[in-house]
Amino acid sequence: MDISSLDPADVAQLSDRDRAELSQFLANEHQKARIHVVVHDLTAMCFKKCITTNIRSGKLDNKTEEPCLQNCLDRFMDANFVVLKHLEALRGGNPGGSGSGSGNGNGGFLS
C-alpha cells in the first residue's frame, strides 16, 4: 500500500508535512511486511531441509539439526550480502562496501 492507494479527498486534506510523514510510514510498514515474508520463507525452507525426523522432545537434535539450521541461515545471509554488494556496484555505490565478509552481521538485510 502506498499513499496513492488512499482516498484522494482524504489525502488532499493533509498538510505537505503530514503527507510526507504518512508516505514514509507506509513505506516503512511495507518494508517490515517484506522482511516478515522473507523470514517466514527462510524458516520454512531451512526447517524442511534440516528437520527430517519427528520432533518428540520439543528440542532440536544438537548433532545434526541445529548445525544444519545455523548453516542454512548463514548461507542465506552470505548470499544476500553478495547480491546486495553487486546491486550497490551496479547502482554506482561503493562496490567494496565498508569492510568484507559478513559485515555488520546482517549483510544489509535489514538496512
Side-chain angles (χ1 to χ4, degrees):
M1 172 183 261
D2 62 10
I3 202 163
S4 65
S5 63
L6 299 174
D7 183 2
D10 291 337
V11 174
Q13 294 177 1
L14 297 174
S15 68
D16 288 342
R17 181 173 180 242
D18 288 342
R19 254 184 250 132
E21 189 176 318
L22 178 60
S23 182
Q24 184 62 48
F25 173 78
L26 291 173
N28 291 345
E29 291 301 309
H30 179 71
Q31 184 174 9
K32 286 181 195 177
R34 287 184 16 222
I35 290 169
H36 284 288
V37 167
V38 170
V39 168
H40 179 268
D41 291 347
L42 175 62
T43 301
M45 177 187 65
C46 290
F47 192 88
K48 183 177 180 181
K49 176 182 179 183
C50 296
I51 311 301
T52 57
T53 61
N54 291 334
I55 300 174
R56 298 182 205 287
S57 68
K59 296 182 180 179
L60 296 176
D61 173 10
N62 288 332
K63 293 181 181 178
T64 58
E65 294 170 342
E66 191 171 333
C68 180
L69 286 169
Q70 183 64 50
N71 188 48
C72 184
L73 176 61
D74 288 346
R75 296 301 65 83
F76 174 81
M77 296 304 286
D78 290 345
N80 185 58
F81 183 70
V82 168
V83 168
L84 288 175
K85 279 180 63 174
H86 179 71
L87 290 175
E88 285 178 3
L90 291 176
R91 187 176 69 183
N94 183 2
S98 58
S100 60
S102 63
N104 61 8
N106 69 17
F109 179 65
L110 300 177
S111 54

